[in-house]
Amino acid sequence: MSNTRPHTVTADWLYEQFGDEDLVIVDTTVHLTMPPEGSVHIDPGLDTYLEAHIPDAVYADLFTDFSDHRAPMPFTAASSERFAAAAGAVGIGQGRRVVLYDQGNGMWAARLWWQLRLDGFDDVAVLDGGLSVWRADGYPVAEGQVVPHAAMFVPRRRPEMLCSAESIAAALDDPRILIIDARDPATGRGDNPSYPRRGHIPGSVTIAYGDLVDLETGRLRPTDELRAVFEEAGALDPEVSPVTYSGGGIAATGVAHALAVVGRTDVAVYCGSLDEWAGADSLPSVEGPEPR
């Protein structure tokens, strides 16, 4: 999929592709709220998709269909077999080109982008700015459900793109591994009332996904600005291997996607992230100041 920015496409580019029978556009929207007084509430986002979506876009339920519900963490990546069934059901498979978007800041689209690449599918990009930019640029939206044209998805898992708690724990003192916290520093300090879990994995550095996105448009910041952020944190050093994590493993994939945009495609994601890490008594966690 050719584009001036790897792993992303613009609204103009996408509109020009309309009519391509091999193009699959996928709305990945999830609404996640974390009220201070209660537990996390997950709304798959189907209702907002039905109200307005990019014409011909199908909907992918990341929570119900693309996650492993036997795992204790709600968004644990599905097995290759489960993922292949879910991807094929929404029309993703051999010979298809895929563009993902969401109705937020691109984090959920980045999540499915990472999962597709985890299982060996590379002809996928994220619509920069998602539905909000699509609409702001004057392009049409549609209502109702689009029925997918099912495809055969053959998974080819890349285990090096997925980290476990055990592999992270074994790498804590390894200078060749750069552990990246994708949450904002306030959350790590425990200052975010919507996410009371505080602390961070020892030795991690902060590259907050929210700092990589233009808050007004939802677009990723320009490539040169992204590169400067990553260089300062050491994430572009060819001698280290970056691993990202967040609260539940979603923002972590956003940072991994942004790193791919600037050419770093070998980033691994700790899927269980701090939700899993902090819940295990055997794993060290540091509270207080943000990571270095």
Side-chain angles (χ1 to χ4, degrees):
M1 181 176 292
S2 61
N3 187 256
T4 56
R5 296 178 65 183
H7 306 285
T8 66
V9 296
T10 65
D12 291 342
W13 182 93
L14 180 57
Y15 186 72
E16 292 173 358
Q17 310 309 307
F18 271 48
D20 184 344
E21 295 182 354
D22 294 328
L23 178 67
V24 181
I25 307 170
V26 185
D27 187 317
T28 64
T29 302
V30 176
H31 300 295
L32 190 67
T33 56
M34 295 177 284
E37 70 283 355
S39 59
V40 174
H41 177 72
I42 299 168
D43 178 356
L46 177 60
D47 288 344
T48 50
Y49 161 81
L50 294 174
E51 291 173 0
H53 57 78
I54 293 175
D56 297 332
V58 298
Y59 180 74
D61 189 334
L62 301 192
F63 176 62
T64 303
D65 299 330
F66 289 86
S67 299
D68 181 0
H69 293 285
R70 296 171 299 177
M73 303 298 113
F75 285 101
T76 299
S79 67
S80 289
E81 294 74 18
R82 181 180 176 88
F83 182 82
V90 298
I92 301 174
Q94 185 176 5
R96 304 284 173 87
R97 300 189 302 163
V98 179
V99 173
L100 310 170
Y101 76 92
D102 59 41
Q103 300 192 30
N105 63 4
M107 180 173 63
W108 296 104
R111 171 67 179 198
L112 187 53
W113 167 90
W114 170 74
Q115 285 190 268
L116 284 165
R117 296 188 68 250
L118 174 65
D119 269 302
F121 189 91
D122 291 326
D123 203 353
V124 54
V126 172
L127 173 60
D128 200 18
L131 186 66
S132 62
V133 165
W134 176 267
R135 301 182 82 161
D137 287 350
Y139 292 118
V141 296
E143 300 177 355
Q145 185 89 39
V146 175
V147 179
H149 297 289
M152 177 65 70
F153 186 94
V154 180
R156 298 179 179 86
R157 180 146 292 196
R158 295 161 169 157
E160 69 276 9
M161 293 183 59
L162 182 64
C163 278
S164 64
E166 292 76 17
S167 60
I168 293 287
L172 291 181
D173 297 320
D174 189 342
R176 298 169 298 177
I177 306 298
L178 181 68
I179 304 173
I180 299 171
D181 187 342
R183 303 167 303 150
D184 65 277
T187 299
R189 293 192 301 267
D191 296 339
N192 184 349
S194 296
Y195 189 81
R197 192 186 298 282
R198 61 184 297 173
H200 56 270
I201 296 175
S204 57
V205 301
T206 293
I207 304 178
Y209 176 67
D211 292 341
L212 307 179
V213 180
D214 185 309
L215 296 179
E216 292 186 2
T217 65
R219 289 188 175 103
L220 282 173
R221 290 167 57 180
T223 303
D224 58 343
E225 294 183 15
L226 294 176
R227 189 178 300 278
V229 171
F230 293 137
E231 285 181 344
E232 182 178 0
L236 301 184
D237 183 347
E239 300 299 318
V240 304
S241 298
V243 177
T244 63
Y245 76 95
S246 51
I250 307 301
T253 59
V255 172
H257 174 256
L259 275 162
V261 166
V262 301
R264 187 91 206 223
T265 59
D266 60 340
V267 181
V269 172
Y270 173 26
C271 193
S273 284
L274 198 69
D275 282 349
E276 178 185 48
W277 186 273
D281 294 336
S282 61
L283 298 174
S285 181
V286 178
E287 294 187 358
E290 64 200 66
R292 58 187 172 88

